């Protein structure tokens, strides 16, 4: 049995038809378990599930519909690259204060303009 790659940010849906499409998102992976949070109506709840209960498709190897575990419905969103000193990589502001503080935005723009003139 081959296991697919489980990564942080993936969204899975319950395979059992009576679970009313319960969804979970992978938050972290440790050993053979994934820490997940429930999505949808009601409060989010965190818990751990075994990695072997997270499946890439809703069908088994012989084509039968799965009745247990969770099927992958959404891969993780593409992450933007982090800010680095390497000029070949695109720059990105990564903290909340740089987005919400107008003065810091102006300083950032001035720094980018000065760098462009060099």
């Amino acid at each position: 049995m081959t296991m697919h790659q489980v990564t942080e940010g993936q969204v899975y849906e319950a395979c059992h038809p009576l679970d009313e499409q319960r969804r979970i998102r992978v938050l972290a992976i440790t050993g053979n378990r994934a820490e997940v949070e429930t999505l949808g109506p009601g409060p989010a709840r965190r818990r751990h599930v075994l990695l072997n209960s997270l499946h890439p498709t809703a069908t088994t190897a012989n084509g039968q519909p799965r009745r247990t575990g969770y099927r992958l419905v959404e891969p993780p969103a593409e992450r933007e690259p982090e800010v680095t000193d390497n000029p070949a990589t695109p720059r990105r502001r990564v903290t909340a204060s740089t987005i919400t503080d107008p003065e810091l935005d102006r300083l950032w723009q001035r720094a980018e303009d000065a760098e462009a003139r060099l």
Side-chain angles (χ1 to χ4, degrees), residues 67-83:
R67 298 287 182 198
T68 62
Y70 295 86
R71 64 181 171 264
L72 180 65
V73 291
E74 187 178 309
E78 289 293 322
R79 293 186 181 194
E80 292 185 33
E82 297 294 322
V83 174

Side-chain angles (χ1 to χ4, degrees), residues 6-100:
V6 177
T7 58
E8 295 174 5
Q10 289 177 325
V11 176
Y12 289 83
E13 186 174 70
C15 290
H16 196 280
L18 297 179
D19 276 339
E20 300 175 359
Q21 288 130 7
R22 180 182 323 160
R23 290 182 173 216
I24 58 173
R25 177 182 298 121
V26 177
L27 300 176
I29 299 166
T30 48
N32 67 343
R33 295 177 185 265
E35 182 182 1
V36 299
E37 71 176 346
T38 57
L39 303 174
R45 188 181 79 143
R46 288 186 174 204
R47 61 192 177 102
H48 287 89
V49 296
L50 292 173
L51 290 179
N52 64 1
S53 67
L54 302 176
H55 309 289
T57 65
T59 57
T60 62
N62 63 0
Q64 296 297 316
R66 292 189 188 278
R67 298 287 182 198
T68 62
Y70 295 86
R71 64 181 171 264
L72 180 65
V73 291
E74 187 178 309
E78 289 293 322
R79 293 186 181 194
E80 292 185 33
E82 297 294 322
V83 174
T84 65
D85 289 334
N86 184 351
T89 60
R91 295 188 172 260
R92 177 177 174 268
R93 290 174 258 182
V94 293
T95 62
S97 66
T98 60
I99 296 168
T100 58

